């Protein structure tokens, strides 16, 4: 080999020669992530799909959407304490859209897209991609379509690609939830050309997108092993925010809570959530880890009573159960104090927000009196709960079973596997169910729209139907002034307390434990980790 051939064969860096700028960038991208650029997250279970808009997507799929896709806008981040950054739901900031302008007549909003935004495939992001993505969200059905409808985003005709970098949303009506709803997890933007090319004739590429990322977010998925782990790598050409510090994230699925706790305590894992309340209370007391404990906005643990079917279509019976509930025992015995009590409030709500404490408390004398008024004879019934969260739901169920026995109500407990629990709830045939719901948009009318409205969404677990309730929820959602809004919110809160198809128990904390060198923890409505802001010292 002569000298010229040798110089061709040996990398320039090995000879001490300067690299051209593109080569430097390429070399940095190819370099293996260092320990400080790699995060190990341990969680109870991971995503069952790569497509949050798809039917049956589990909770962790929100995290996939958050990190691997962009939306037009996001909520403005706001410091909460020294550990946690939250958000202001009334303020938006750019993500894929660099700017936007609402029409002077209030009938539309026009977005200008970032000129330099690209998908993981290298394609520039266009307004056609945004239209296809939002058309899909309002058309695919299930949770995605219902979530879009909550902000009056209902028809493909509302979405207009004006030109390559200009996108318009035409409003069906004035709705304060429309703009915030564009910042939640669901209305993310796909690389539509890539999706369509791999769709196999399916107009929305459901099978392909269930198993493949097709976006332009800050992270790509390098490996997805359902039930084992999901491995993410940073997209170094991301333009919708500051480039994240973390280059690699390993989200490992570990069903055993004791194993997750041991990993985070020993320092073998960097961050963990879905930790049982008892373990988290112990970790807080030990003081060795950095912890975030956010009361989840718009959220409650509750007992649902099927108001569409006997025997719980009897309002007096539902009130009797509400007075018999062992609230304090549940907070301490199942949640180890990790929550805000939602019982013992005034009959008239003290504030026009959600959640707000209901006026019930443990009072067996009142429970027995209402049981007698209901005319219900002693009976047997079934209570379902999620085995996936059994460290919380099982002691809850046992305590409720014991508390209702003195009323002559014999409760059979039915533990449903976590993968099947949402489907079982959606059948709406269970007489009683323990569940937790957290609305993404923190307004009381938003929660009541999902859970109490006669449109009978998938989250209206009791199948509660009351036209008076519907009128007040709708009037609050589209109220023209503050006084009208307040009147209707007060009205539907009081009616919810009276009819009590849901018995609120606790507003839960979202507990996250992390090593002391982890910073930038961001809490979003979806409650999934956002890798874009996390740092590792």
């Amino acid at each position: 080999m002569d000298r010229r051939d040798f110089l061709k064969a040996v990398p320039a860096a090995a000879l001490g020669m300067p690299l051209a700028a593109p080569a430097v960038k390429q070399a940095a991208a190819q370099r293996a992530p260092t320990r400080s650029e790699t995060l190990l997250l341990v969680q109870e279970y991971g995503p069952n799909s790569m497509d949050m808009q798809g039917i049956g997507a589990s909770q962790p799929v929100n995290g996939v959407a958050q990190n691997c896709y962009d939306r037009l806008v996001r909520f403005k981040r706001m410091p909460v304490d020294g550990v946690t950054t939250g958000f202001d739901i009334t303020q938006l900031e750019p993500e894929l859209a660099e700017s936007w302008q609402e029409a002077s007549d209030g009938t539309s909003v026009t977005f200008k897209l970032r000129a330099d935004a690209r998908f993981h495939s290298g394609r520039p992001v266009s307004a056609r991609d945004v239209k296809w993505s939002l058309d899909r969200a309002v058309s695919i059905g299930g949770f995605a379509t219902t979530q879009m409808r909550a902000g009056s985003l209902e028809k493909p005709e509302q979405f207009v690609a004006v030109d390559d970098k200009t996108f318009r949303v035409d409003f069906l009506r004035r709705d304060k939830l429309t703009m915030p709803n564009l910042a939640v997890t669901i209305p993310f933007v796909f690389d539509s050309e890539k999706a369509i090319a791999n769709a196999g004739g399916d107009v929305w590429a459901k099978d392909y997108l269930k198993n493949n990322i097709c976006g332009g977010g800050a992270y790509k998925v390098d490996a997805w092993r359902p039930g084992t782990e999901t491995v993410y790598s940073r997209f170094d050409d991301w333009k919708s925010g500051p480039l994240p510090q973390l280059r690699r994230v390993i989200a490992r699925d570990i069903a055993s809570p004791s194993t997750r706790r041991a990993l985070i305590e020993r320092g073998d894992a960097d961050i963990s959530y879905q930790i049982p309340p008892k373990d988290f209370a112990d970790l807080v007391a030990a003081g060795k880890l950095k912890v975030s404990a956010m009361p989840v906005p718009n959220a409650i643990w509750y007992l649902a009573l099927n108001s569409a079917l006997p025997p719980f279509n009897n309002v007096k019976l539902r009130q009797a159960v509400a007075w018999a509930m062992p609230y304090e025992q549940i907070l301490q015995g199942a949640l180890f104090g990790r929550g805000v009590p939602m019982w013992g409030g005034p009959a008239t709500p003290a504030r026009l927000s959600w959640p707000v404490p209901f006026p019930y408390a443990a009072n067996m004398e009142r429970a027995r009196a209402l049981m007698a008024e209901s005319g219900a004879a002693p009976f047997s019934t079934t209570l379902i709960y999620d085995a996936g969260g059994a460290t919380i739901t099982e002691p809850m169920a046992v305590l409720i079973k014991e508390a209702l026995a003195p009323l002559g109500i014999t409760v059979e407990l039915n533990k449903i596997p976590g993968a099947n629990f949402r489907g079982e709830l959606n059948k709406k045939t269970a007489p009683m169910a323990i569940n937790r719901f957290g609305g993404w948009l923190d307004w009381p009318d938003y929660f009541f729209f999902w859970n109490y409205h006669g449109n009978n969404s998938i989250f209206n677990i009791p199948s509660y139907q009351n036209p008076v309730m519907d009128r007040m929820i709708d009037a609050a959602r589209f109220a023209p002034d503050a006084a009208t809004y307040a009147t209707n919110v007060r009205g539907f809160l009081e009616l919810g307390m009276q009819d009590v198809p849901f018995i609120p128990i606790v507003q839960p904390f979202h507990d996250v434990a992390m090593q002391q060198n982890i910073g930038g923890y961001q809490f979003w409505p979806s409650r999934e980790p956002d890798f874009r802001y996390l740092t590792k010292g």
Side-chain angles (χ1 to χ4, degrees):
M1 177 183 289
D2 65 23
R3 184 174 183 276
R4 283 177 296 182
D5 290 335
F6 175 78
L7 291 175
K8 289 179 184 177
V10 179
L15 300 175
M17 297 169 62
L19 291 168
V24 172
K25 183 177 180 181
Q26 183 179 12
Q30 292 175 347
R31 172 180 57 80
T34 65
R35 184 180 180 88
S36 64
E37 295 171 318
T38 301
L39 184 91
L40 176 59
L41 162 74
V42 291
Q43 58 192 2
E44 183 178 1
Y45 62 98
N48 64 350
S49 167
M50 294 285 101
D51 180 12
M52 191 57 218
Q53 290 183 6
I55 305 296
S58 61
Q59 165 65 27
V61 189
N62 283 290
V64 176
Q66 187 73 58
N67 291 290
C68 298
Y69 291 92
D70 287 339
R71 286 136 293 276
L72 289 167
V73 294
R74 57 181 168 244
F75 299 117
K76 184 175 182 181
R77 302 169 66 228
M78 304 290 288
V80 173
D81 52 35
V83 176
T84 308
T85 302
F87 61 95
D88 184 340
I89 202 165
T90 66
Q91 296 189 56
L92 300 175
E93 61 183 26
E95 196 156 285
L96 265 181
E98 64 182 13
S99 64
W100 58 93
Q101 180 66 51
E102 292 197 40
S104 57
D105 61 1
T107 60
S108 66
V109 59
T110 300
F111 298 89
K112 284 292 183 181
L113 304 183
R114 294 180 186 272
D116 56 355
R118 292 185 176 273
F119 291 113
H120 300 158
S121 66
R123 276 190 61 241
V125 178
S126 76
R128 293 184 303 279
D129 297 300
V130 182
K131 175 170 172 53
W132 188 86
S133 303
L134 270 60
D135 285 357
R136 184 183 196 261
V138 300
S139 305
I140 198 169
F143 171 62
T145 297
T146 310
Q147 175 65 44
M148 296 292 282
R149 191 180 301 128
S152 296
L153 300 167
E154 302 173 11
K155 302 176 182 179
E157 294 77 18
Q158 291 179 256
F159 310 125
V160 182
V162 179
D163 59 38
D164 199 48
K165 293 293 181 181
T166 309
F167 178 75
R168 190 178 77 241
V169 177
D170 293 331
F171 299 152
L172 292 180
R173 59 189 72 89
R174 291 180 183 271
D175 186 342
K176 68 177 181 296
L177 300 183
T178 298
M179 289 297 292
N181 207 30
L182 290 171
V184 301
T185 310
I186 287 296
F188 54 87
V189 178
F190 293 98
D191 181 339
S192 63
E193 286 190 15
K194 183 178 178 182
I196 293 167
N198 290 278
D202 175 7
V203 66
W204 299 127
K206 293 187 290 292
D207 288 342
Y208 178 72
L209 292 172
K210 182 176 181 178
N211 296 290
N212 296 275
I213 295 298
C214 205
Y219 286 88
K220 302 177 287 185
V221 171
D222 288 343
W224 174 41
R225 305 177 186 93
T228 302
E229 67 180 12
T230 308
V231 181
Y232 301 83
S233 66
R234 189 178 69 191
F235 176 43
D236 288 336
D237 203 23
W238 188 58
K239 304 298 184 184
S240 295
L243 196 65
Q245 183 216 6
L246 297 173
R247 291 183 56 213
R248 179 178 169 92
V249 176
I250 302 168
R252 191 156 292 157
D253 307 340
I254 298 175
S256 166
S258 60
T259 302
R260 294 198 305 277
R261 174 175 173 174
L263 287 169
I264 195 77
E265 282 189 301
R266 290 200 307 258
D268 294 333
D270 295 306
I271 186 169
S272 185
Y273 69 124
Q274 300 170 336
I275 297 175
K278 181 183 185 305
D279 291 322
F280 200 86
D282 291 344
L283 293 175
V284 170
K288 295 179 180 178
L289 296 167
K290 190 182 289 187
V291 297
S292 172
M294 280 283 293
V296 181
N298 214 247
I300 55 169
W301 275 107
Y302 64 80
L303 176 68
L305 304 174
N306 196 323
S307 61
L309 298 172
F312 294 112
N313 58 346
N314 183 326
V315 66
K316 293 290 187 181
L317 176 58
R318 297 197 299 268
Q319 291 172 351
V321 172
W323 283 109
M325 287 283 288
Y327 299 99
E328 183 65 32
Q329 292 96 315
I330 289 175
L331 177 57
Q332 301 305 327
L335 291 158
F336 292 83
R338 311 298 305 163
V340 181
M342 286 294 119
W343 68 89
T348 299
R351 59 182 187 272
L352 301 182
S353 60
W354 186 263
V356 63
F358 272 27
Y360 303 92
N363 187 325
M364 190 53 66
E365 183 179 347
R366 295 193 69 171
R368 285 194 173 100
L370 282 160
M371 184 75 175
E373 289 180 37
S374 75
F379 63 91
S380 297
T381 190
T382 302
L383 168 61
I384 66 170
Y385 62 97
D386 185 358
T391 54
I392 296 173
T393 56
E394 192 153 70
M396 271 191 187
V398 170
L399 287 165
I400 292 169
K401 173 184 171 78
E402 292 173 351
L404 297 187
L407 294 181
I409 302 175
T410 302
V411 179
E412 177 186 349
L413 303 182
N414 187 3
K415 180 163 58 174
I416 308 296
N420 303 332
F421 184 66
R422 178 58 56 190
E424 197 65 31
L425 285 179
N426 292 344
K427 293 178 183 177
K428 304 191 181 190
T429 56
M432 308 171 75
I434 293 170
N435 194 35
R436 167 180 155 159
F437 178 88
W440 284 350
L441 302 177
D442 193 15
W443 283 278
D445 41 314
Y446 179 80
F447 184 98
F448 272 66
F449 169 78
W450 280 115
N451 291 274
Y452 286 81
H453 198 282
N455 64 17
N456 207 17
S457 85
I458 58 174
F459 300 112
N460 185 348
I461 307 305
S463 292
Y464 174 72
Q465 308 281 322
N466 187 327
V468 176
M469 176 69 79
D470 294 352
R471 285 195 293 272
M472 288 189 288
I473 294 171
D474 292 339
R477 287 182 67 206
F478 308 115
D481 54 69
T484 303
Y485 180 77
T487 297
N488 285 285
V489 170
R490 184 175 292 104
F492 68 62
L493 287 173
E494 290 178 353
L495 185 55
M497 293 173 177
Q498 173 188 306
D499 282 1
V500 70
F502 295 86
I503 302 174
I505 304 171
V506 169
Q507 179 184 15
F509 290 161
H510 183 69
D511 290 331
V512 181
M514 61 200 90
Q515 301 300 331
Q516 292 289 349
N517 66 338
I518 302 299
Y521 174 70
Q522 173 66 49
F523 176 86
W524 290 123
S526 65
R527 307 184 306 281
E528 291 295 312
D530 190 334
F531 310 140
R532 298 174 300 177
Y533 304 106
L534 286 172
T535 61
K536 186 176 179 182

